[in-house]
Amino acid sequence: MINKLKKIIGILLFAAFIIPANANAQSLSSRDTANVHFLNARKFYIYKVEKGETLFGISQKFAIPQEEILEFNHDISKNGLKAKMKLWIPAYSWLKKDSIEKIVLKEVIPAKYTYKIAIITALNIPKQYTENDSSASYINEPLSDELKTNLEFIEGIAYAADVLKSEGIKFHFYYIDSESDSSKVLLKLRKSENPDMIITNESNSVLKGISAYSLVKNVSLIPCALNSSEIIKDNSKGLSLLPSSGKQCEMMGKFSREYFKNAYLITLKTSNQKENDRSEFFKNGWLSVKESFPRRIDCTKGNVAGIADSLSKGKNNLIFIPSSNEDFVSTILNSLKLKIPDYEFTVIGLPTWQYFETIDQKTIEDCNVFVFNSGFIDFKNNEVFKFRKFFREKYYSEPSESAYQGYDALWVAGKLFLKYGNKIAIDENQKVIEGIYSLYSFDRISGGTGFENRNIHVFQPGKDLSNDLTKNNILK
């Protein structure tokens, strides 16, 4: 899969950068560039030196500085340039900064409108190789997890573009390597022609810069990072693909009040402010459906046993545990198990509970645990099946969540373009857009002008993987 992913970098370099042409580069033949290798996602030609050639001539032929060729071919410094010697020649120069930082701006005008999409993610292309102090040949090294994740995000977008072609919508992509640097992103964006939309999985300071550019230039923005809602809160052109953690807790509270009829709610107070905020959001969602008198158990002094002791007989006790601390959660669940013969209860947990390693499945089932998440992959869905089949055949692996999110980001963009054109507007009566990672309809972010997805997915870990309790209700 790694070698397959590396080839994407080569494609991105063509798509994302202008390579300056010169007269000498014209002399390259197909034979000169036939032997291609990738090192840490950087593209190289393996070139066989011909009799009478000089380093200067080869440098001019490939438009690569001599010092950059020497950097990858230490034998030249030791033994001189010799006929039949095989050289690693970079396909693109990273020393000539001026030749590589200009983003492709020109668009071929199609018969029908083509939507221009800027895809911004961290590839860190200038850093995707390392020097070798010996004269030995370079060997392939594995890509970092972050790079693989971001490449899969791009691949998901590209796959969705192919699917949307059947609906008559076309895209022209600008791939922008953020290099995890907000100043570099803004520099590249300022040099670019305004796109119709920006799609990114960046967060924190990089997303802040992108959002500011989006607002000033009146360009729609779809961020796909966790908790991006707060960053785009005051951006009226921003649509957060994933609901914030607070929004998710609020929606889960609302769902619980409707789904678990006549349940008795118990929330927790802990020493962690984020956990207390989650409890408050959950309670607000619960009370938005029907007024009641939920009970709050104080666990700030380790009073975990008090949760089990507070259960009411004759009712379904709904307990929301706002913590991702596995030891803390395990202690609560084990104390609740002792009450199973005498009490009915349901436990609501966070998305992170799916990845717990020390709590056994039987405890999860005995305590009747439900969790919620911003996405839910239904492996029985035909579109999911086709996407997985494509990914396995191309990369010999399963797509990550990032790949699904990339697909959905462009899918949502395409559906909104088809409805509104390139000036997207969100209305209150919007229909739900069904993706392969989630369902999408947008609410205005509380206290702001931006928008976030208002849909979550509820399921029981380890049980039927197609049993998303919220889907049918959302699609009504």
Side-chain angles (χ1 to χ4, degrees):
M1 174 183 176
I2 289 173
N3 288 332
K4 298 272 187 183
L5 288 173
K6 286 180 177 179
K7 291 181 180 179
I8 298 178
I9 291 287
I11 296 171
L12 294 181
L13 287 169
F14 273 116
F17 302 109
I18 292 177
I19 308 301
N22 60 50
N24 293 312
Q26 300 279 336
S27 63
L28 277 176
S29 68
S30 57
R31 186 177 65 179
D32 296 331
T33 58
N35 192 353
V36 176
H37 283 254
F38 287 85
L39 170 65
N40 275 5
R42 189 177 181 186
K43 185 178 179 181
F44 290 83
Y45 301 123
I46 308 303
Y47 179 71
K48 187 176 181 180
V49 179
E50 296 181 0
K51 186 177 180 179
E53 282 193 298
T54 65
L55 181 60
F56 176 77
I58 295 172
S59 170
Q60 291 294 299
K61 187 175 189 177
F62 284 89
I64 300 295
Q66 294 182 61
E67 59 267 35
E68 199 164 358
I69 296 176
L70 288 170
E71 181 181 348
F72 295 96
N73 299 276
H74 300 287
D75 278 355
I76 298 176
S77 299
K78 290 183 178 182
N79 306 315
L81 188 69
K82 297 180 180 180
K84 298 184 180 180
M85 179 184 284
K86 290 186 177 180
L87 304 181
W88 286 69
I89 309 293
Y92 315 101
S93 171
W94 289 116
L95 295 181
K96 292 181 175 181
K97 294 284 185 180
D98 292 339
S99 70
I100 65 173
E101 288 191 348
K102 190 173 182 181
I103 301 167
V104 173
L105 304 179
K106 293 185 179 179
E107 172 193 6
V108 178
I109 299 176
K112 294 184 178 179
Y113 188 80
T114 298
Y115 292 97
K116 296 168 287 188
I117 311 291
I119 310 298
I120 304 178
T121 190
L123 300 175
N124 292 309
I125 295 174
K127 300 178 182 178
Q128 296 306 324
Y129 69 94
T130 56
E131 294 183 27
N132 190 337
D133 293 330
S134 70
S135 59
S137 298
Y138 288 100
I139 60 174
N140 289 331
E141 297 181 10
L143 300 174
S144 68
D145 290 341
E146 179 189 23
L147 181 56
K148 286 191 288 185
T149 294
N150 293 341
L151 287 172
E152 290 194 27
F153 177 70
I154 291 171
E155 186 60 60
I157 293 172
Y159 181 87
D162 288 337
V163 176
L164 285 164
K165 282 182 182 178
S166 63
E167 300 195 26
I169 186 167
K170 299 178 182 179
F171 299 99
H172 177 84
F173 295 121
Y174 305 148
Y175 294 101
I176 298 179
D177 180 6
S178 74
E179 300 183 54
S180 302
D181 187 321
S182 58
S183 61
K184 289 183 179 179
V185 171
L186 290 176
L187 178 64
K188 293 173 182 180
L189 279 170
R190 290 183 187 121
K191 290 181 179 179
S192 72
E193 180 181 323
N194 280 354
D196 295 304
M197 176 174 284
I198 299 170
I199 295 176
T200 182
N201 62 350
E202 288 290 350
S203 58
N204 301 323
S205 62
V206 177
L207 180 56
K208 286 180 182 178
I210 296 170
S211 181
Y213 174 89
S214 157
L215 189 59
V216 170
K217 296 295 185 179
N218 197 30
V219 175
S220 296
L221 167 65
I222 294 184
C224 304
L226 291 172
N227 292 318
S228 57
S229 297
E230 187 62 31
I231 296 176
I232 67 158
K233 179 178 178 180
D234 296 318
N235 183 354
S236 59
K237 305 300 293 182
L239 308 171
S240 180
L241 202 70
L242 308 180
S244 65
S245 59
K247 183 70 171 180
Q248 290 182 53
C249 291
E250 179 185 338
M251 296 305 296
M252 186 61 200
K254 182 178 181 181
F255 169 84
S256 298
R257 187 64 170 138
E258 295 171 337
Y259 188 82
F260 302 102
K261 303 293 185 182
N262 301 316
Y264 173 63
L265 176 62
I266 300 172
T267 62
L268 311 184
K269 178 183 178 182
T270 73
S271 56
N272 185 301
Q273 187 56 48
K274 284 187 177 180
E275 293 176 357
N276 292 332
D277 290 342
R278 291 172 191 148
S279 285
E280 197 65 24
F281 279 115
F282 187 96
K283 186 180 74 173
N284 290 340
W286 175 276
L287 295 176
S288 69
V289 177
K290 186 178 180 181
E291 186 177 351
S292 64
F293 302 95
R295 185 171 182 181
R296 194 179 197 191
I297 305 300
D298 190 342
C299 297
T300 55
K301 297 181 180 179
N303 183 29
V304 175
I307 300 171
D309 294 337
S310 66
L311 300 178
S312 296
K313 285 191 175 182
K315 289 186 177 182
N316 178 16
N317 296 270
L318 188 77
I319 307 163
F320 175 54
I321 305 177
S323 176
S324 292
N325 185 312
E326 192 164 350
D327 291 337
F328 179 71
V329 173
S330 178
T331 301
I332 294 175
L333 295 184
N334 286 325
S335 67
L336 287 172
K337 281 178 67 175
L338 301 176
K339 300 288 185 177
I340 289 175
D342 301 314
Y343 295 90
E344 179 185 359
F345 57 85
T346 299
V347 175
I348 305 297
L350 301 179
T352 50
W353 288 26
Q354 301 171 77
Y355 311 110
F356 282 173
E357 297 178 350
T358 61
I359 302 177
D360 64 86
Q361 181 60 35
K362 189 173 188 311
T363 298
I364 294 289
E365 292 177 1
D366 289 346
C367 291
N368 198 28
V369 171
F370 289 77
V371 299
F372 57 96
N373 198 10
S374 58
F376 182 90
I377 300 167
D378 180 359
F379 293 102
K380 294 182 180 180
N381 181 290
N382 188 49
E383 295 305 316
V384 170
F385 172 79
K386 288 190 288 187
F387 184 55
R388 294 175 66 211
K389 182 174 183 293
F390 157 79
F391 218 88
R392 289 197 301 268
E393 289 177 351
K394 189 169 183 179
Y395 299 117
Y396 306 102
S397 71
E398 285 288 330
S400 66
E401 280 196 1
S402 182
Y404 287 101
Q405 291 167 5
Y407 177 100
D408 275 13
L410 191 71
W411 184 256
V412 168
K415 293 298 182 180
L416 293 176
F417 283 140
L418 287 171
K419 183 174 182 180
Y420 301 107
N422 63 347
K423 299 300 180 184
I424 291 175
I426 299 298
D427 60 70
E428 294 181 358
N429 298 317
Q430 61 187 292
K431 291 184 178 180
V432 174
I433 300 172
E434 186 171 1
I436 60 175
Y437 180 72
S438 187
L439 304 170
Y440 302 93
S441 50
F442 296 92
D443 273 342
R444 201 173 293 278
I445 299 169
S446 178
T449 56
F451 297 87
E452 65 181 340
N453 185 24
R454 64 188 177 201
N455 298 314
I456 60 168
H457 303 266
V458 182
F459 55 96
Q460 293 185 275
K463 294 198 174 182
D464 184 359
L465 293 180
S466 64
N467 189 22
D468 173 9
L469 301 178
T470 54
K471 182 174 180 180
N472 290 333
N473 188 48
I474 293 171
L475 291 174
K476 283 181 181 179

